[in-house]
Each structure stands twice: as C-alpha cells, then as structure tokens.
Amino acid sequence: MSGVNSANAKSERRGDAIAKYVTDGGGLVTPELQALIDRIARAGGTPLVVAERTRALGVIHLKDIVKGGMRQRFDALRAMGIRTVMITGDNPLTAAAIAREAGVDDFLARPRRRTR
C-alpha cells in the first residue's frame, strides 16, 4: 500500500491492502467493490483500490503480460519430465489466472506481508 498525507488532513491510499485500511478506519468495503476486486483478480489482474480515508474512490486494474510462447516452452519442459511451478507474491485468485494463462503445472501464491 502506498499513499500520501497532505497538510489539509487529507489521506489517500492505493494498493492491495486497502480493504483492511478502509475497514480499520471505520469504513465499509461494499459487496460491489469486493466483487470488482475479485473479478479483476480472477482475470489475472492486480486490483489496486484507491481510497481517501475510509472511502474507496475507485479501482485500478494492473495486468502482467505473459510472454508469447511460454505455454509451448512449458510443454517442452514437461516433455522432458520437468514440472513447472510459478511462485508469486500475488493473491491466489490472480496467481491461478496467470498460471492457467501461462500453462504452468502448479503455483504458490501468498499476499505479501510488509513490515515497517
């Protein structure tokens, strides 16, 4: 999560930890917002929610591009008996979509835990 606090007490944040930020401040993550977040993640994107204090303002859809030919390269590795596994800091929904798109055999995904 990143953001800015301005002199007029305005606080804006964006990132994948926004739901906790909004609810910790007393705000609400609506079912519509959660559905949008999930839809972006299932499509292989990273949903970045932009919020001002306890109010979500919008969602940015970031998407990595799987390089052309990756599925064929993984098929060739499989033919040699090599199993492919993608390891990512993305959330499990996003990771599953990218793994399907790339053609890897399995994936490990964990949301990043940042320490201060």
Side-chain angles (χ1 to χ4, degrees):
M1 179 171 61
S2 62
V4 63
N5 293 332
S6 62
N8 63 359
K10 190 174 184 181
S11 174
E12 294 179 355
R13 296 286 183 268
R14 62 197 161 280
D16 55 4
I18 291 298
K20 182 172 176 8
Y21 171 77
V22 168
T23 56
D24 283 355
L28 176 68
V29 174
T30 65
E32 294 84 8
L33 176 61
Q34 190 60 54
L36 179 57
I37 291 167
D38 291 346
R39 187 171 67 229
I40 291 169
R42 282 191 182 93
T46 299
L48 296 181
V49 179
V50 179
E52 181 179 48
R53 295 194 181 267
T54 62
R55 188 173 135 234
L57 303 174
V59 181
I60 299 169
H61 180 162
L62 296 179
K63 175 81 165 78
D64 290 327
I65 304 296
V66 175
K67 290 183 181 179
M70 290 306 295
R71 183 173 287 279
Q72 293 78 9
R73 291 177 189 157
F74 291 144
D75 288 343
L77 290 171
R78 245 184 310 288
M80 292 185 273
I82 299 172
R83 184 171 175 257
T84 58
V85 179
M86 178 180 77
I87 302 172
T88 179
D90 281 333
N91 73 62
L93 288 176
T94 300
I98 295 295
R100 275 191 310 274
E101 186 177 339
V104 298
D105 295 311
D106 202 357
F107 68 91
L108 297 172
R110 303 258 187 268
R112 293 185 186 127
R113 299 279 189 243
R114 295 196 173 117
T115 58
R116 292 180 191 201

